[in-house]
Amino acid sequence: MGIKAGWVAIALLLSACNVGPEYERPSLWTPGSWFSRRPPATEASLAVAEPLDPSWWDSFNDPALTRLVRRVAAQNLDVRAATARVAQSRAQRRVVGADALPQVNGNASYTRERLSEKGVVGLVGGGTGGSSNPALQSNGLGGRQGGFPNSSGIGSAFDLFQYGFDASWELDIWGRVRRGIEAADAQTLASEDARRGALVSALSEFARDYVQLRGVQDTARITRSNLDSARQSARLTAERFRGGLATDLDVASAEGQVSTTAANLPQLAQQEAQLANAIALLLGEPPGARTPELTDATQPGIARVPPLPSRVPIGLPSELVLRRPDIRQAEAQLHAATAQIGAAEAEFF
């Protein structure tokens, strides 16, 4: 009993051995603040070192913006593709983790056959023999056959059963499986950070396009108001000209102001259509899709340019690099590559 316990202890000790380098997180030095020597900001929004709000779009107090952000997170094609890659990485992690478990294989088959009277066995008159009971005779292949009307068995059906079972377990002495699992875990984290990066890019681009769209719509509203004023001024100038109080130069100048103001509207309409199509693309919809939240801001109940929040939480500036998804993805990929070195070295032992 003592000898068996000793061998078990030795096996457990050897299974704890890993070859290859251990992953060490790269060190990064950053100052306590990037803005210590800068003058205070004069903008309406005050940047504060408070924890970041995951739902930062709520700080604009724009219900349409909030609804569209949620749709972008659920419908954006790049985000959905990144989500599928995360699911693929997790499935691959389960496949790699299965190498650390015992492997069990089993198979079974059943066939029912009959010897033809026109075949070779029928021509030579072969028989089965070996059993006095013609209704239950062995076929020599591990099966059972029965129902023979005569001693030769020609023309009678018989059953054939086959089955097998085996199990194996690899003793991971040098850590090949453990290193593979470590690499798969790191690759899963890299996929998750890649999805986070795609989500951040999609949401930030959408927020920029949305604010620009509202700005263009607000500019178009002001331009139409100026056009109405210019037309009214042109009519008054024409009345004064007919009364002898203005010259034809005054009338031409007023009409030119109307034409100049009206010429800005098609350009603003084109910009509005381009921004609306860009937002539709982020939503995974075809260009020109009708989105109620993007209706012209001049209509009642539709918000205009979202007001700037009074306080913008940005966290510690020195931690910005550690929050970037692309850098976190690169770090996870470095971890996966380091673990794969150990798995490759374990193959030689």
Side-chain angles (χ1 to χ4, degrees):
M1 183 66 180
I3 297 177
K4 293 183 179 180
W7 280 110
V8 171
I10 293 175
L12 293 177
L13 180 61
L14 291 177
S15 63
C17 298
N18 287 338
V19 297
E22 293 291 341
Y23 172 74
E24 296 182 2
R25 188 176 187 181
S27 59
L28 177 65
W29 178 88
T30 56
S33 176
W34 296 98
F35 309 102
S36 58
R37 297 185 180 181
R38 293 187 179 182
T42 58
E43 291 79 8
S45 297
L46 177 62
V48 294
E50 294 180 356
L52 292 176
D53 185 6
S55 303
W56 51 266
W57 49 86
D58 292 337
S59 60
F60 291 98
N61 297 319
D62 189 336
L65 175 62
T66 301
R67 289 193 298 269
L68 288 173
V69 162
R70 293 174 179 173
R71 288 181 57 186
V72 169
Q75 300 177 199
N76 183 261
L77 299 181
D78 292 337
V79 176
R80 295 176 66 179
T83 302
R85 286 191 288 269
V86 171
Q88 180 182 4
S89 298
R90 291 175 178 173
Q92 184 64 28
R93 163 61 177 84
R94 290 192 291 269
V95 172
V96 175
D99 292 339
L101 303 175
Q103 305 293 323
V104 179
N105 297 319
N107 58 79
S109 64
Y110 163 75
T111 58
R112 183 172 179 82
E113 299 181 359
R114 184 173 65 87
L115 299 179
S116 174
E117 299 177 356
K118 306 299 183 181
V120 178
V121 177
L123 294 177
V124 300
T128 57
S131 176
S132 59
N133 184 2
L136 186 60
Q137 301 182 17
S138 172
N139 61 14
L141 297 176
R144 306 288 293 180
Q145 60 186 14
F148 295 156
N150 50 59
S151 60
S152 65
I154 301 302
S156 301
F158 61 93
D159 300 328
L160 177 63
F161 299 92
Q162 291 181 341
Y163 54 87
F165 174 82
D166 64 89
S168 62
W169 182 34
E170 178 184 355
L171 187 60
D172 192 21
I173 298 178
W174 304 111
R176 182 190 67 83
V177 176
R178 291 191 298 275
R179 289 298 191 188
I181 294 175
E182 181 182 355
D185 288 335
Q187 192 61 43
T188 301
L189 292 178
S191 300
E192 293 175 353
D193 288 324
R195 179 190 180 277
R196 189 175 297 109
L199 183 61
V200 170
S201 298
L203 294 183
S204 59
E205 185 176 356
F206 164 75
R208 182 190 61 186
D209 292 343
Y210 180 84
V211 173
Q212 289 180 352
L213 175 65
R214 293 308 188 199
V216 170
Q217 291 175 344
D218 202 30
T219 302
R221 178 185 61 82
I222 297 174
T223 302
R224 284 190 289 267
S225 178
N226 292 339
L227 181 59
D228 293 339
S229 300
R231 287 172 176 171
Q232 184 178 4
S233 177
R235 287 194 297 269
L236 293 176
T237 303
E239 292 292 336
R240 294 183 62 190
F241 174 74
R242 285 191 290 270
L245 300 178
T247 64
D248 55 351
L249 180 61
D250 296 333
V251 175
S253 177
E255 292 177 351
Q257 184 64 34
V258 172
S259 300
T260 301
T261 304
N264 294 327
L265 291 176
Q267 182 179 2
L268 293 174
Q270 180 182 4
Q271 294 178 1
E272 181 180 0
Q274 291 175 346
L275 292 171
N277 290 337
I279 292 177
L281 180 62
L282 293 173
L283 291 172
E285 299 177 349
R290 301 292 299 176
T291 304
E293 291 85 354
L294 300 181
T295 308
D296 192 348
T298 58
Q299 298 187 10
I302 301 299
R304 296 182 180 177
V305 180
L308 295 177
S310 59
R311 296 169 63 88
V312 180
I314 61 173
L316 294 178
S318 58
E319 297 179 354
L320 175 61
V321 176
L322 301 179
R323 295 198 305 263
R324 288 183 49 170
D326 55 342
I327 295 181
R328 293 168 60 93
Q329 179 186 0
E331 180 186 355
Q333 290 174 343
L334 175 61
H335 188 177
T338 305
Q340 288 171 356
I341 292 175
E345 292 182 356
E347 291 285 352
F348 293 97
F349 291 92

